[in-house]
Amino acid sequence: MVRIKKRYFVLGFFALLIFVVLFFLSTFTRNYLVKNSEKLIGRKLAIGEMHFNYAKVAVQVKDFVLFEDNKTDSFASFSELYINFDPWTLPSKEYSFSEIRLAHPKVKIIQNGEKFNFDSLMPKEDSLAVEDTTNNEILKFTVRNIQLIDGHVIYKDVLKDDVVEMKTLNLKLPLIAWDNEQSDMGVDFTMGEKGKVNVQAIVDNRNKKYRIDLNTQNVDIHPITGYLKDYFDITSLEGALTSRIKITGDMNEIINISVSGTGTVNDLAVMDGRSEKILSAAQVNTSISDINLKTFHFSFGKIALREPQLLVVRDKEMTNVERLFLPLFKSDTLTSVHDTIQTDETPVTYSIDTLKVENGLVSIADNTLNRPFKYELNEMNVTMTGLSESAEHIPVEFYTKLNRKGELSGKTVWSMTDMMNLEMDAKIKKLDMVSFSPYSEYYIASPITQGWFNYDLSLKMEKTKLVNRNRLKVDELEFGKRTKDTTAVKAPVRLALYIMKDAKDVISIDLPVTGNPSDPKFKLGKIIWKTFANLMVKTAASPFKALAGLAGTNPESLEKLPFAYAQDSLDKKQCDDLYKLAEILKKKPDLVVSLIQSTDPDEEKRLLAIRCAKEDFIAAHQGDSSRISLSDLKDDNPELVAFIKKAVPEIDSVGIKTACIKLAGQARIDTMFETVLKKRNAHIAKLLTVNQGIPASSVNVMTADLNNLPQELRVPQYKVEVSVK
């Protein structure tokens, strides 16, 4: 009996010992791992609880924390890890788990250049070499009910100062096994304050295919800002992404991936390097028909921008749009991109069924003038269809308000296979020209106080033939008082535009252009501008060719007003020509007409000397019954010649003109010459201002500098010039 009792006692003791060991094994294991963690994995480790369930063959770990190298900050943690192992499949060499559950995991990944905060946890390269002892046997495994509950992942890029967070991360994977035909997986988590992400994946193990459904809702796109700064000069990218994307692929051919679905970005906003909102949109909708990475084909259905806004600012150095793309065009960037491109790659193909801009706004500012210019293209709508790399017929329709008043509309058809194949019809209606006063002040030193611009464009272009029609119409164009802008050009632009007005206060210009677009010297824009500039120069240089029609006369009768030598009054022809000039001034009240008198002073004085001799001769014969008038007295009248000869005997040798000068005396002739010049000026000024009622500010009658007058202008006439007040 004693021996039997002793045997049971020993068995009980060993049973108790085994029980105690198993009972405290989890505690021993936990303490060992915590105490030796730095030797085992190189990091400090904390474990709140560890339990072994021998009945279920399960292990449970609670309040796990893996610290950073500084032994203070948490790198990874979770509240619970539960693993339930199924040992009954081990005899068939299969590893089976009935449940794996990870609750409240939190991981913080920090990247600083090429370094990560988990680098010290990575094994050395030498330690990666493991002897293959499997003899190529198939690894059999089955894992059921994989769960990740309320996870939290933080990724921080130190250099880019960017943080991405995935919160409430949940994963459900009912079954994954070495021989199951299909595996299903579901993941959902939140990003940012409002963003939600859901991923559903189906893996067809038999056919080696997979499908991933990626759905997002209000995901903040700001975290990608840091990665765009390498290519664009921006400080912020804002917006909320909502999408439904389907990704299908082939596990045997990694690059055989197809993407389709829809995506929407709400409240898009791009802040440039100066923290100005350069681009924004209330909504951007994209329909992806198929993006195939194997064939490099990118097919989109409809891309729509609702209420997009673009800010274009022109500074003296460059525009803000050019500045936005500066990082992209740096030489080192271009070189690196070029190095990654292989010439034998599959060619990229693309297609967009419809590209639409709805109710857009383009704000334009020009800071290069003497005062800022601001303009808007409002209510912009653009529709383009059928865009692809091989499309031969791409129609585009467009419409926009011009600073909320005028309108620009039209349509064009162009080709991607032949850029020389282009047709366009466009119209500008009722554009308010007052808005462009900063330009008129800068270039012609005059503000625009009124005017409406209309333009009709028609363009048909082929490779070797272009026909372009440009019809311009400007209504009621008016300029204000001249400004003190020193940047104005010397060309008489304002005068030309004013003169080009017809009787109805309208400027109509038709500028047809034809040519060969294949000629390197052919530049359509330059040709149109040069033709228009030449028209203005010719109009300003020969104003009466445009003005003559207002008075129903020929231009030559208005450009010059000839006089006879010694004439000191106006004849009928001269009066009629001045009446025509007055008629033009009444229709063009802003014109100033200048009549500049010229003559040959020497010849004029010689003829005035003869006139003095005649007056003296008539005065000496006042009592004669046969008294002759001044107009009837001929220069070669014998009695007149005899009268002069008495005072100047040498008349036969010096001639009658010189003799008359000696007879009258130089002082008398000079006085008479000045009187004649003044009388002519007075008669013309009186006819225009008093008789015709033209304001004195519109008439300027003067005498040229006769002492320094060139020989070709030494004729008795008035040269008529016009200018604008």
Side-chain angles (χ1 to χ4, degrees):
M1 292 294 292
V2 174
R3 288 183 177 180
I4 295 173
K5 290 182 179 180
K6 187 176 181 180
R7 183 185 303 172
Y8 283 114
F9 175 79
V10 172
L11 291 174
F13 174 77
F14 278 107
L16 178 63
L17 181 62
I18 293 172
F19 174 79
V20 171
V21 170
L22 293 177
F23 183 83
F24 290 101
L25 180 61
S26 60
T27 302
F28 294 151
T29 304
R30 180 186 71 83
N31 292 337
Y32 176 79
L33 292 175
V34 171
K35 184 177 181 180
N36 298 280
S37 61
E38 295 186 52
K39 293 180 180 180
L40 295 172
I41 61 174
R43 290 282 185 94
K44 179 182 176 182
L45 187 67
I47 300 176
E49 298 179 24
M50 179 178 287
H51 302 285
F52 295 145
N53 188 326
Y54 302 105
K56 291 186 175 181
V57 191
V59 60
Q60 182 184 44
V61 179
K62 291 186 176 182
D63 301 326
F64 174 95
V65 179
L66 178 62
F67 292 91
E68 295 277 8
D69 287 329
N70 60 16
K71 303 180 182 181
T72 302
D73 300 325
S74 171
F75 166 67
S77 65
F78 55 80
S79 64
E80 180 191 26
L81 172 63
Y82 179 80
I83 301 175
N84 190 357
F85 183 69
D86 187 356
W88 311 113
T89 59
L90 286 176
S92 61
K93 297 183 179 181
E94 179 180 344
Y95 300 93
S96 178
F97 297 85
S98 60
E99 182 179 0
I100 297 178
R101 180 174 71 249
L102 181 63
H104 304 102
K106 183 175 182 179
V107 179
K108 186 174 184 179
I109 300 173
I110 301 176
Q111 179 182 2
N112 191 347
E114 296 182 356
K115 296 182 178 180
F116 290 85
N117 62 336
F118 54 78
D119 287 344
S120 62
L121 295 172
M122 303 298 292
K124 303 296 183 181
E125 291 186 5
D126 293 342
S127 65
L128 294 177
V130 179
E131 183 180 356
D132 186 4
T133 61
T134 61
N135 296 323
N136 296 322
E137 292 183 3
I138 298 176
L139 178 64
K140 299 179 180 181
F141 66 93
T142 301
V143 183
R144 293 178 174 84
N145 196 17
I146 300 176
Q147 298 180 64
L148 189 151
I149 303 170
D150 197 19
H152 187 185
V153 178
I154 301 175
Y155 168 76
K156 181 178 181 180
D157 192 322
V158 176
L159 293 183
K160 298 186 181 299
D161 191 23
D162 193 22
V163 177
V164 178
E165 285 192 72
M166 293 185 292
K167 295 184 288 188
T168 60
L169 179 61
N170 293 281
L171 168 66
K172 292 182 180 180
L173 184 56
L175 173 66
I176 179 172
W178 66 280
D179 61 346
N180 66 320
E181 296 182 356
Q182 178 174 303
S183 299
D184 299 337
M185 181 184 71
V187 179
D188 61 85
F189 55 90
T190 63
M191 293 187 67
E193 296 182 0
K194 300 179 179 179
K196 297 180 180 180
V197 179
N198 177 266
V199 182
Q200 299 293 328
I202 301 175
V203 179
D204 185 347
N205 294 307
R206 172 179 291 181
N207 297 312
K208 301 299 181 182
K209 305 288 184 180
Y210 65 87
R211 169 179 167 174
I212 300 174
D213 292 324
L214 172 62
N215 300 322
T216 65
Q217 183 177 355
N218 294 324
V219 174
D220 187 4
I221 64 174
H222 176 75
I224 69 173
T225 301
Y227 304 95
L228 295 177
K229 289 182 179 180
D230 293 337
Y231 307 99
F232 304 100
D233 181 29
I234 63 173
T235 57
S236 176
L237 174 67
E238 306 293 340
L241 172 65
T242 297
S243 64
R244 297 182 65 87
I245 303 297
K246 181 176 73 173
I247 304 172
T248 58
D250 190 333
M251 289 182 286
N252 291 324
E253 194 174 6
I254 297 176
I255 200 172
N256 189 7
I257 300 174
S258 179
V259 181
S260 61
T262 61
T264 299
V265 177
N266 292 305
D267 302 320
L268 174 68
V270 180
M271 309 295 287
D272 65 13
R274 296 184 175 184
S275 297
E276 290 183 320
K277 188 182 292 185
I278 188 172
L279 178 65
S280 65
Q283 192 176 78
V284 179
N285 293 308
T286 303
S287 172
I288 304 174
S289 300
D290 180 36
I291 296 178
N292 194 301
L293 299 184
K294 179 181 179 180
T295 61
F296 275 84
H297 178 69
F298 299 82
S299 178
F300 297 87
K302 180 179 180 180
I303 300 177
L305 286 78
R306 185 168 63 83
E307 299 180 13
Q309 297 185 13
L310 174 65
L311 174 65
V312 180
V313 180
R314 182 190 179 200
D315 295 316
K316 291 185 178 180
E317 315 87 54
M318 65 181 74
T319 67
N320 63 332
V321 177
E322 292 172 306
R323 188 180 295 107
L324 179 71
F325 290 97
L326 272 182
L328 183 64
F329 292 106
K330 287 182 179 179
S331 57
D332 55 344
T333 302
L334 293 177
T335 302
S336 62
V337 172
H338 181 269
D339 291 342
T340 61
I341 296 177
Q342 300 177 2
T343 56
D344 58 348
E345 286 184 343
T346 304
V348 177
T349 59
Y350 61 89
S351 65
I352 301 176
D353 292 343
T354 305
L355 180 61
K356 197 173 185 67
V357 175
E358 302 173 358
N359 196 24
L361 170 66
V362 178
S363 300
I364 303 170
D366 192 341
N367 298 324
T368 65
L369 308 175
N370 294 336
R371 67 182 180 97
F373 166 77
K374 294 183 178 180
Y375 202 79
E376 290 185 349
L377 305 179
N378 320 95
E379 301 178 27
M380 178 181 292
N381 291 279
V382 181
T383 302
M384 178 174 64
T385 57
L387 175 64
S388 71
E389 83 288 343
S390 59
E392 297 182 355
H393 188 86
I394 305 172
V396 181
E397 294 186 2
F398 53 90
Y399 170 87
T400 184
K401 284 284 190 70
L402 303 173
N403 227 26
R404 303 189 182 279
K405 295 181 181 178
E407 296 181 0
L408 166 63
S409 61
K411 57 183 179 180
T412 181
V413 178
W414 54 291
S415 170
M416 288 296 295
T417 59
D418 182 7
M419 291 299 180
M420 292 294 186
N421 188 0
L422 174 66
E423 293 185 17
M424 178 182 290
D425 291 291
K427 293 181 183 293
I428 295 178
K429 296 181 180 179
K430 208 66 174 178
L431 181 148
D432 188 357
M433 297 188 67
V434 175
S435 302
F436 295 88
S437 281
Y439 283 99
S440 66
E441 293 166 18
Y442 185 89
Y443 289 106
I444 63 176
S446 296
I448 300 175
T449 58
Q450 181 176 290
W452 306 94
F453 179 80
N454 300 274
Y455 179 45
D456 191 351
L457 165 71
S458 175
L459 173 67
K460 291 185 178 181
M461 183 174 71
E462 299 174 358
K463 190 170 185 179
T464 58
K465 182 180 179 182
L466 177 142
V467 178
N468 172 227
R469 186 193 72 222
N470 303 277
R471 291 180 178 174
L472 294 84
K473 180 182 177 184
V474 182
D475 296 315
E476 302 176 6
L477 178 62
E478 301 292 343
F479 291 95
K481 295 180 179 179
R482 294 188 66 85
T483 64
K484 297 181 180 179
D485 293 80
T486 58
T487 53
V489 296
K490 301 301 180 182
V493 178
R494 179 181 173 184
L495 173 62
L497 291 173
Y498 186 69
I499 290 173
M500 290 165 68
K501 290 184 180 182
D502 60 18
K504 296 181 180 179
D505 208 18
V506 174
I507 299 174
S508 296
I509 303 174
D510 195 350
L511 295 176
V513 178
T514 58
N516 181 3
S518 298
D519 186 347
K521 297 181 180 180
F522 183 86
K523 303 293 183 183
L524 179 60
K526 289 184 177 180
I527 291 176
I528 295 175
W529 174 247
K530 186 176 181 179
T531 304
F532 180 69
N534 289 340
L535 176 62
M536 289 195 295
V537 170
K538 290 180 180 179
T539 301
S542 303
F544 292 109
K545 289 184 178 180
L547 294 172
L550 298 177
T553 186
N554 60 77
E556 290 77 12
S557 65
L558 299 175
E559 293 175 351
K560 296 178 181 179
L561 189 67
F563 268 78
Y565 284 116
Q567 181 183 351
D568 59 1
S569 60
L570 299 173
D571 60 25
K572 184 178 184 306
K573 174 66 169 60
Q574 292 166 338
C575 289
D576 289 342
D577 290 342
L578 289 172
Y579 292 150
K580 298 293 185 183
L581 188 60
E583 186 177 348
I584 293 173
L585 290 174
K586 291 176 182 178
K587 295 179 179 179
K588 298 281 188 181
D590 286 341
L591 276 183
V592 176
V593 62
S594 297
L595 296 98
I596 306 170
Q597 179 181 191
S598 64
T599 187
D600 185 341
D602 297 331
E603 183 64 21
E604 187 105 45
K605 289 178 180 180
R606 284 192 287 267
L607 293 176
L608 286 174
I610 295 175
R611 180 175 174 179
C612 288
K614 290 179 179 181
E615 290 177 350
D616 291 344
F617 173 76
I618 293 173
H621 295 78
Q622 286 185 355
D624 296 348
S625 57
S626 59
R627 179 171 171 265
I628 190 171
S629 66
L630 184 64
S631 58
D632 295 333
L633 186 59
K634 305 297 183 182
D635 293 352
D636 57 353
N637 183 288
E639 295 182 6
L640 174 62
V641 174
F643 174 78
I644 297 172
K645 193 171 185 179
K646 287 182 180 181
V648 186
E650 65 274 21
I651 186 175
D652 294 333
S653 60
V654 300
I656 188 172
K657 294 181 180 179
T658 303
C660 288
I661 292 174
K662 290 186 176 184
L663 176 64
Q666 190 65 48
R668 181 185 174 190
I669 294 173
D670 289 344
T671 301
M672 192 173 194
F673 175 67
E674 294 296 331
T675 301
V676 169
L677 295 180
K678 292 178 181 179
K679 282 186 177 181
R680 291 173 182 166
N681 290 347
H683 284 310
I684 292 175
K686 181 180 178 181
L687 185 145
L688 292 174
T689 59
V690 178
N691 297 349
Q692 293 298 313
I694 304 300
S697 59
S698 299
V699 178
N700 189 9
V701 185
M702 67 184 77
T703 301
D705 179 8
L706 300 179
N707 294 325
N708 300 299
L709 206 63
Q711 188 61 41
E712 62 184 85
L713 296 181
R714 289 178 176 268
V715 291
Q717 66 176 12
Y718 278 88
K719 182 181 179 182
V720 185
E721 297 179 353
V722 292
S723 60
V724 183
K725 291 181 181 178

